[in-house]
Amino acid sequence: MSGPARKPLLERFMAFVFPEPMSGCWLWNGAATRCGYGRIALGGHSGGLAAAHRVAWQLFRGDIPSDREVAHRCDVRACVNPDHLWLASHAENMADMMRKGRYRPGPVFGDRNGSRTRPDRRPRGDNHWTRRVGRMA
């Protein structure tokens, strides 16, 4: 027994799009990642989720070559306007990010980690929060 017919992807996609008149962005108002990129279910039992800006490209522009990423000209992660998107290699996308000052370094590992460079700032022994929990009573 099957349920009601699922709406076409384009119709489901556009139901979550809200054009922003000042910037021209089409803001995604559906599910999103913690980083702010939209997500949409592709449908079916094994369809999975896809990035909304990538689905926008496929719906309005066509296939995405395997060696390309869909990048934002407007730098708005929730934007799915195909006119604000472009295909870039990973290197081009990273260079664009650096050029626009959007680079934020992630966690530092190894000898550059704060635990190594400033061990005096790490709570140890009785100062560690796990030791203080029992003494709060």
Side-chain angles (χ1 to χ4, degrees), residues 27-131:
L27 300 178
W28 182 256
N29 198 31
T33 66
R34 282 186 265 166
C35 296
Y37 292 99
R39 304 286 284 167
I40 187 169
L42 295 176
H45 291 291
S46 59
L49 293 172
H53 64 288
R54 292 180 60 85
V55 172
W57 184 272
Q58 291 170 318
L59 287 171
F60 296 100
R61 298 288 190 259
D63 291 336
I64 303 169
S66 61
D67 64 336
R68 295 289 167 182
E69 298 175 355
V70 179
H72 290 85
R73 281 193 174 91
C74 60
D75 295 327
V76 177
R77 293 175 179 178
C79 181
V80 294
N81 183 343
D83 293 336
H84 290 195
L85 304 174
W86 59 290
L87 292 179
S89 69
H90 183 69
E92 291 168 336
N93 198 9
M94 295 299 103
D96 180 62
M97 174 188 67
M98 297 294 279
R99 185 173 49 256
K100 293 177 179 176
R102 290 184 288 111
Y103 174 71
R104 289 187 324 198
V108 179
F109 300 99
D111 289 335
R112 292 178 42 228
N113 183 283
S115 292
R116 292 283 185 110
T117 60
R118 297 297 306 267
D120 53 303
R121 291 190 173 187
R122 300 294 296 166
R124 310 247 187 238
D126 289 336
N127 292 326
H128 195 270
W129 72 270
T130 56
R131 287 282 182 89

